[in-house]
């Protein structure tokens, strides 16, 4: 059990790392080190981190397979897009020379909140009946939900129908999205480390024993599922205002599988594993583009890498282990002290 001093030390170290990364990001943006292409990769990585970490709440920590995460993402995307388009139609200046104004950034954050809340409402509506069932029923129900949402999007006029929703104000900026991503991950990490998170994990281990211990299984299942839907909606809102155009095909079954692959590869029950997998699986196909004779086979190599990792590490890259920067620094400090002691003894 960690003491208060150890917890405070860990928070300070992690906060310092977050601030340092943010400072490096701002420096790279100001000096032009980040090209438009690299900016797009980083934006996709931030979005995928939120998606993978949020799905891990349901699949990893709760132990329920969900195959409709892209459906919640689409709800958040269209809600946020329609919100900012309506605000823009009222005459509010959201963009100035292609860059978001202060008002634009404020409405961007409000649109993410709106998208997340509506996605959470749908998550609640789907989760209440579905999570009372056991086994693979949730996977089947969420799969059907994702396809229903996609069909509705294609046949509703205010979503643009099959032609898609266009001329969405592009309010997603790299620095703001970085902060939103950090906030989402911190909230999810705090949730899984709280007593609510321990109750959710107990249900994963043995739902009968958890219920016998006084844990309200349905309540905590719905809580985890709704929280995951909320963060998927937030990621969808960022995605919509980065692309500037939306289509139902962006949120098909394959998108849900892509997110699930990140969770499984990183480790079901490890948020830091989901982050590592989201970074790796997003960057790897792009990195292979620039290797001679590999660019034409990059998706094949990508698939082979996934198969190899699953064969030799079936629990995922980190399993249920959480990477800790504090532990790494403590080990390095310990090795340094031992090396200094051996050097002193040699004298």
């Amino acid at each position: 059990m960690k003491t208060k001093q150890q917890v405070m030390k860990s928070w300070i170290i992690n906060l310092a790392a977050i601030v340092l990364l943010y400072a490096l990001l701002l420096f790279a943006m100001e000096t032009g080190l980040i090209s438009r292409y690299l900016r797009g990769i980083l934006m996709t990585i931030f979005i995928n981190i939120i998606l993978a970490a949020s799905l891990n709440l349901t699949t990893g920590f709760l132990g329920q397979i969900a195959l409709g995460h892209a459906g919640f993402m689409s709800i958040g995307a269209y809600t946020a897009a329609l919100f900012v388009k309506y605000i823009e139609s009222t005459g509010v200046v959201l963009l100035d020379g292609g860059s978001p104004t202060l008002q634009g950034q404020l409405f961007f954050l409000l649109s993410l909140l709106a998208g997340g809340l509506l996605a959470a409402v749908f998550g609640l509506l789907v989760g209440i009946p579905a999570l009372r069932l056991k086994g693979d029923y949730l996977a089947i129900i969420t799969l059907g939900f994702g396809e229903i949402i996609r069909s509705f999007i294609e046949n509703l006029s205010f979503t643009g129908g099959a032609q898609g929703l266009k001329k969405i104000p592009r309010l997603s900026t790299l620095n703001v999205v970085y902060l939103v991503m950090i906030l989402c991950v911190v909230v999810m990490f705090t949730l899984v480390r709280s007593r609510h998170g321990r109750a959710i994990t107990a249900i994963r281990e043995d739902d009968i024993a958890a219920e016998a211990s006084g844990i309200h299984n349905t309540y905590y299942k719905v809580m985890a599922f709704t929280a995951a839907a909320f963060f998927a909606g937030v990621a969808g809102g960022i995605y919509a205002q980065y692309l500037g155009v939306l289509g139902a095909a962006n949120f098909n079954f394959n998108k849900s599988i892509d997110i699930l692959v990140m969770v499984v590869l990183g480790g079901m029950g490890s948020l830091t594993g989901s982050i590592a997998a989201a970074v790796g699986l997003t960057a790897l196909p792009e990195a292979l583009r620039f290797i001679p004779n590999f660019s034409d086979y990059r998706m094949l190599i990508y698939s082979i890498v996934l198969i190899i990792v699953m064969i030799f590490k079936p629990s995922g890259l980190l399993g249920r282990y959480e990477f800790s920067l504090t532990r790494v620094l403590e080990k390095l400090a310990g090795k340094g002290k031992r090396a200094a002691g051996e050097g002193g003894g040699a004298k």
Side-chain angles (χ1 to χ4, degrees), residues 32-62:
L33 294 175
I34 299 180
S35 63
R36 185 176 179 180
Y37 174 71
L38 186 57
R39 190 186 298 261
I41 295 175
L42 289 174
M43 186 71 74
T44 306
I45 287 174
F46 295 159
I47 294 170
N48 285 340
I49 286 174
I50 299 174
L51 289 170
S54 60
L55 182 59
N56 212 341
L57 292 178
T58 302
T59 302
F61 292 94
L62 184 59

Side-chain angles (χ1 to χ4, degrees), residues 5-205:
Q5 290 78 7
Q6 289 175 320
V7 172
M8 184 60 67
K9 179 182 177 182
S10 179
W11 277 100
I12 292 173
I13 291 174
N14 289 325
L15 179 61
I18 290 169
V19 172
L20 178 61
L21 286 174
Y22 185 67
L24 290 174
L25 180 65
L26 290 179
F27 174 77
M29 291 173 62
E30 290 295 329
T31 55
L33 294 175
I34 299 180
S35 63
R36 185 176 179 180
Y37 174 71
L38 186 57
R39 190 186 298 261
I41 295 175
L42 289 174
M43 186 71 74
T44 306
I45 287 174
F46 295 159
I47 294 170
N48 285 340
I49 286 174
I50 299 174
L51 289 170
S54 60
L55 182 59
N56 212 341
L57 292 178
T58 302
T59 302
F61 292 94
L62 184 59
Q64 303 289 327
I65 301 297
L67 298 178
H69 214 54
F72 298 117
M73 181 186 178
S74 66
I75 292 171
Y78 277 90
T79 301
L82 292 170
F83 178 83
V84 293
K85 280 177 69 70
Y86 170 76
I87 295 298
E88 187 179 48
S89 68
T90 62
V92 177
V93 179
L94 299 179
L95 292 168
D96 182 17
S99 300
T101 62
L102 183 60
Q103 286 180 318
Q105 291 178 342
L106 175 61
F107 283 113
F108 170 69
L109 296 176
L110 289 176
S111 71
L112 298 186
L113 181 60
L117 288 175
L118 190 59
V121 170
F122 277 88
L124 184 65
L125 294 176
V126 173
I128 288 176
L131 291 166
R132 293 180 181 274
L133 304 173
K134 298 182 184 295
D136 300 326
Y137 292 106
L138 180 64
I140 298 171
I141 290 174
T142 52
L143 173 61
F145 166 76
E147 291 303 305
I148 289 170
I149 290 297
R150 188 174 63 83
S151 297
F152 268 109
I153 290 173
E154 288 182 337
N155 291 281
L156 291 175
S157 58
F158 65 86
T159 61
Q163 294 183 348
L165 190 64
K166 302 175 182 178
K167 296 182 179 180
I168 303 169
R170 302 183 66 176
L171 302 177
S172 294
T173 57
L174 207 56
N175 55 336
V176 175
V177 171
Y178 172 82
L179 295 175
V180 172
M181 181 269 294
I182 292 295
L183 179 61
C184 290
V185 171
V186 168
V187 171
M188 284 185 272
F189 189 81
T190 304
L191 173 62
V192 299
R193 288 299 180 93
S194 68
R195 66 183 183 89
H196 301 295
R198 289 192 291 271
I200 291 169
T201 306
I203 295 171
R204 176 194 67 193
E205 298 299 330

Side-chain angles (χ1 to χ4, degrees), residues 295-332:
S295 59
D296 294 335
Y297 305 100
R298 60 191 182 87
M299 297 312 297
L300 176 61
I301 297 169
Y302 169 84
S303 303
I304 292 173
V305 169
L306 288 179
I307 293 171
I308 292 172
V309 172
M310 286 295 98
I311 290 174
F312 292 99
K313 198 72 168 67
S315 61
L317 295 174
L318 295 183
R320 294 180 181 174
Y321 175 82
E322 294 289 0
F323 173 80
S324 173
L325 184 59
T326 306
R327 282 197 295 265
V328 172
L329 293 177
E330 287 176 350
K331 287 182 180 180
L332 291 176

